[in-house]
Amino acid sequence: MKKHNFNAGPSVLPRIAIENGAKAVLDFEGSGLSILEISHRTKDFERVNDEANSLLRELLNIPDNYKIIFLGGGASTQFYEVPYNLLEKKAGYINTGVWAKKAIKEAKLFGEVEVIASSEDKNFSYIPKGFTIPKDLDYLHITTNNTIFGTEYHTDIDSPVPLVADMSSDILSRKVDVSKYALIYGGAQKNMGPAGVTFVIIREDILGKVSRPLPSMVDYRNHIANNSMFNTPPVFPIFMMKETLKWLKSIGGVEAIHKINEEKAQMLYEEIDRNELFVGTAAKEDRSIMNICFVLKPEYEELAGDFLEFTKSKGMVGVKGHRLVGGFRASCYNALPRESVEALIDCMREYEKIHAK
Ligand SMILES: *Cc1c(COP(=O)(O)O)cnc(C)c1O
């Protein structure tokens, strides 16, 4: 039986992408070779790489003065590659959770880091607002969607200094004004493909300004100059990413998926707010449409393990919350069908009927 996959990442992918990936593993475009055993320096793979690149550019409406590169190492590698390439004196960071904190820790190795705002005082349950961004920063770093705590910026913020964003878990879920950012990065494995490939979207003029020497692999300019083929790129993840992007385009692109994402999130949040047993953990105005976090009300808390088993018995996986928030997290990425959200809602209602006091 096909499962309802609420995993936080790696996570659900479009079925068609998986089927095309399976075919390419057996025989890549009739070449008699598997995609797993071809050279990346072939016309055939260059086409895959170029198509992934141009699909992403088209779907996100990325202006011409931005370059797109695909790397290994995950978003976590970008936590140090960003300051390595951009931090000369001082950078600002908004601390909205675990991933932001990890980015802050790495940046401190390269220069002064000022935490401009933080939501740590309330266990990262909201997005800080009304902060002033100093003009003397090399850049300001934000995490647009906080995968663990289920909070999200719903608009692109204005920044007087270059804005850098970790968009690992909400890339392509909503329209983004790329021109407001200097650099956007993320691991593909939440919304854009399988684990193993990382995307970096860079406005080229921000590079080349730091005085420190950069190792070749760290210097974004080398990857840009070589069209992501400075060394062996993650060939199969890039193929899968291309298939995932193709799927997104085929269903109408970012605008269409955003509408669906909003519907899915609204349905589930409405149930959380209505249901006698559950309560949401994130501030309402900052609720993520990707990672939906909720817990049992205190008087029902002892049912946590049992409810999780109940969801499993209904064919659901990945509903367990992160240990830092507890309770439950339903990750509702682009490829998660509406039926899966409906199934979870049915499950919550049925459970309420059995257990509400
Ligand atoms: C998952 C995630 C990361 C970590 O990604 P890796 O590819 O595992 O390094 C970083 N930031 C955010 C917002 C994430 O959701």
Side-chain angles (χ1 to χ4, degrees):
M1 180 181 106
K2 180 86 178 76
K3 301 280 185 185
H4 296 293
N5 184 355
F6 291 97
N7 281 333
S11 37
V12 59
L13 287 170
R15 191 68 201 168
I16 183 77
I18 291 182
E19 281 167 7
N20 289 341
K23 280 185 204 147
V25 166
L26 293 174
D27 183 3
F28 174 56
E29 294 176 356
S31 65
L33 295 170
S34 167
I35 179 90
L36 303 178
E37 52 185 9
I38 62 164
S39 164
H40 57 293
R41 306 217 183 266
T42 54
K43 282 270 170 299
D44 287 343
F45 182 69
E46 267 174 35
R47 238 187 306 115
V48 171
N49 190 46
D50 288 344
E51 197 179 339
N53 200 299
S54 59
L55 279 167
L56 181 56
R57 188 175 293 279
E58 182 185 340
L59 287 164
L60 265 191
N61 205 5
I62 300 173
D64 289 343
N65 57 331
Y66 288 72
K67 298 291 181 202
I68 304 168
I69 50 176
F70 302 131
L71 308 170
S76 302
T77 298
Q78 297 311 309
F79 293 164
Y80 71 79
E81 290 201 353
V82 164
Y84 223 138
N85 279 275
L86 303 182
L87 176 46
E88 180 71 9
K89 281 207 177 78
K90 185 163 86 163
Y93 278 70
I94 309 294
N95 181 13
T96 49
V98 169
W99 298 115
K101 268 178 117 159
K102 290 190 184 198
I104 291 166
K105 175 168 179 258
E106 301 298 296
K108 282 181 177 165
L109 298 169
F110 298 91
E112 190 186 335
V113 171
E114 187 178 334
V115 176
I116 305 298
S118 168
S119 51
E120 194 162 19
D121 59 336
K122 292 184 181 161
N123 198 30
F124 300 114
S125 58
Y126 68 102
I127 299 287
K129 291 165 203 79
F131 49 82
T132 310
I133 304 165
K135 300 211 166 41
D136 63 341
L137 302 173
D138 293 326
Y139 63 87
L140 175 73
H141 180 284
I142 63 171
T143 312
T144 52
N145 183 66
N146 298 283
T147 324
I148 291 173
F149 297 93
T151 62
E152 185 176 15
Y153 293 81
H154 294 298
T155 51
D156 303 304
I157 67 171
D158 292 305
S159 169
V161 300
L163 184 60
V164 173
D166 174 357
M167 290 197 189
S168 294
S169 53
D170 65 348
I171 187 80
L172 298 169
S173 70
R174 66 170 174 94
K175 271 176 90 172
V176 163
D177 181 355
V178 174
S179 70
K180 286 196 167 180
Y181 299 84
L183 190 150
I184 297 170
Y185 69 89
Q189 70 270 23
K190 314 279 165 59
N191 230 1
M192 218 166 109
V197 59
T198 308
F199 59 90
V200 188
I201 302 163
I202 311 165
R203 204 180 69 215
E204 245 183 322
D205 65 271
I206 60 167
L207 299 176
K209 294 188 176 161
V210 290
S211 53
R212 73 178 62 86
L214 301 172
S216 315
M217 275 295 286
V218 169
D219 192 334
Y220 290 132
R221 290 172 298 183
N222 289 329
H223 297 281
I224 292 170
N226 291 280
N227 194 22
S228 306
M229 304 242 207
F230 180 67
N231 71 324
T232 315
V235 171
F236 187 54
I238 289 175
F239 177 88
M240 287 300 296
M241 181 169 69
K242 186 256 295 179
E243 289 299 319
T244 307
L245 294 169
K246 237 168 67 185
W247 164 81
L248 182 56
K249 184 177 169 181
S250 77
I251 63 160
V254 171
E255 214 159 316
I257 202 73
H258 182 228
K259 211 164 149 257
I260 297 170
N261 287 334
E262 284 204 313
E263 281 166 17
K264 288 188 296 187
Q266 196 186 339
M267 271 174 7
L268 187 48
Y269 281 123
E270 264 174 22
E271 178 58 22
I272 291 166
D273 293 341
R274 186 210 61 78
N275 195 299
E276 174 57 28
L277 308 184
F278 301 102
V279 61
T281 56
K284 283 195 178 164
E285 69 275 18
D286 301 324
R287 283 171 159 180
S288 168
I289 61 167
M290 293 280 99
N291 308 98
I292 298 179
C293 298
F294 56 104
V295 294
L296 284 156
K297 288 181 185 163
E299 61 269 37
Y300 296 105
E301 236 166 28
E302 77 284 357
L303 295 171
D306 187 63
F307 176 69
L308 211 56
E309 286 309 311
F310 192 70
T311 62
K312 284 182 194 163
S313 75
K314 304 280 183 189
M316 286 162 211
V317 288
V319 182
K320 189 172 170 43
H322 191 279
R323 73 192 148 76
L324 293 174
V325 182
F328 317 101
R329 171 176 53 174
S331 295
C332 300
Y333 296 120
N334 285 357
L336 184 85
R338 202 186 316 237
E339 299 81 69
S340 292
V341 176
E342 284 163 359
L344 177 57
I345 291 171
D346 286 347
C347 185
M348 291 164 75
R349 290 190 179 150
E350 196 179 332
Y351 201 72
E352 181 190 35
K353 286 215 179 80
I354 304 169
H355 291 284
K357 289 173 194 164

